[in-house]
Amino acid sequence: GASAGVAVSGYGSKDVGPEALLRMADLAVYSAKLDPTENIAVYDEELDRRLTHQRSLESALTAALHASGDELRLVFQPIVRAVDGAVHGVEALLRWSPPGRAAVPPDVFIPIAERSDLILDVDHWVIGHALRHMERWPSTGATEELTVSVNVSGRSLLDRTFVDRVTSLLAVSDVAASRLQIEVTETALVSDLDLAADQLAELRALGVRVVIDDFGTGYTS
């Protein structure tokens, strides 16, 4: 397959020099590669604004992952057992509040991260910090068996270094592997079923639990 980016100078468009024209075409082909339903994109000012904004967020998120502050943080949603109402686990959810600006919703920054290998670093950050939070929780009857669920991108599941990353995080943690649950979506499974199956088998061999997110919808039904 191929992707094409189109940019026009003159002929009803404003005249631009060769370097600007190449930059415009580069932005257009970048846009074409991001959209799996289209392989051709034509540059316009709206595309320029949108991609510039995306690249700015991507750069800021990369910096946030390596910063020592609380720009990125986790919140935990309880998972309740329907039979008796007891909380038997939590789901770790990532939140991003850049300094000096409004919080960026996950449905904005996660898709941007998923378009590149940046999502691998995001997933690594979330798993590592979720395990650290669990280490700090008091070991009582109510919390010692508590599980933590982490949503993992399909890109991570299909990355051959992912299992080694999880192994390394567990090795430096006092949290049992059985208390970590990896949530995967069906899209991660259907894009490369053989590799996904191998990765899931290795995770389960470590003791990590694997669950299907949004079970009963799409192909999982």
Side-chain angles (χ1 to χ4, degrees):
S3 298
V6 180
V8 178
S9 176
Y11 296 98
S13 302
K14 67 178 181 180
D15 290 317
V16 298
E19 290 185 3
L21 191 63
L22 284 173
R23 186 190 73 83
M24 291 156 56
D26 182 59
L27 285 172
V29 77
Y30 178 75
S31 177
K33 290 178 180 179
L34 295 180
D35 189 346
T37 64
E38 297 286 345
N39 58 359
I40 298 175
V42 180
Y43 172 89
D44 59 21
E45 291 186 356
E46 173 58 30
L47 181 146
D48 192 319
R49 284 192 294 270
R50 177 166 53 85
L51 291 183
T52 300
H53 177 65
Q54 289 182 1
R55 287 180 170 178
S56 173
L57 284 180
E58 186 175 328
S59 176
L61 181 57
T62 300
L65 287 168
H66 297 93
S68 57
D70 57 358
E71 188 173 340
L72 291 173
R73 62 187 176 89
L74 295 181
V75 296
F76 295 91
Q77 177 174 284
I79 300 173
V80 179
R81 191 164 49 219
V83 176
D84 56 9
V87 175
H88 72 96
V90 293
E91 181 175 0
L93 304 172
L94 182 61
R95 296 293 181 262
W96 181 23
S97 300
R101 59 190 295 180
V104 183
D107 60 356
V108 171
F109 70 82
I110 292 297
I112 291 174
E114 285 183 328
R115 294 186 182 116
S116 70
D117 287 344
L118 179 58
I119 194 62
L120 305 181
D121 294 331
V122 170
D123 286 346
H124 185 267
W125 190 98
V126 173
I127 294 172
H129 280 72
L131 292 174
R132 289 176 205 166
H133 274 282
M134 293 189 76
E135 285 181 322
R136 293 198 297 265
W137 291 339
S139 182
T140 66
T143 61
E144 61 185 359
E145 297 300 324
L146 211 63
T147 61
V148 61
S149 295
V150 176
N151 287 287
V152 168
S153 164
R155 275 184 90 103
S156 284
L157 188 62
L158 300 179
D159 178 77
R160 296 184 183 276
T161 68
F162 178 63
V163 175
D164 288 338
R165 287 183 171 216
V166 174
T167 302
S168 298
L169 291 172
L170 288 169
V172 297
S173 168
D174 290 331
V175 179
S178 60
R179 297 179 64 194
L180 174 63
Q181 288 191 160
I182 299 296
E183 288 194 22
V184 297
T185 60
E186 61 166 27
T187 53
L189 303 178
V190 298
S191 58
D192 189 338
L193 187 57
D194 291 337
L195 177 55
D198 290 342
Q199 299 270 72
L200 293 176
E202 290 185 42
L203 288 170
R204 294 182 68 184
L206 292 174
V208 175
R209 301 181 184 186
V210 177
V211 297
I212 304 297
D213 201 12
D214 298 328
F215 183 76
T217 63
Y219 292 106
T220 58
S221 63

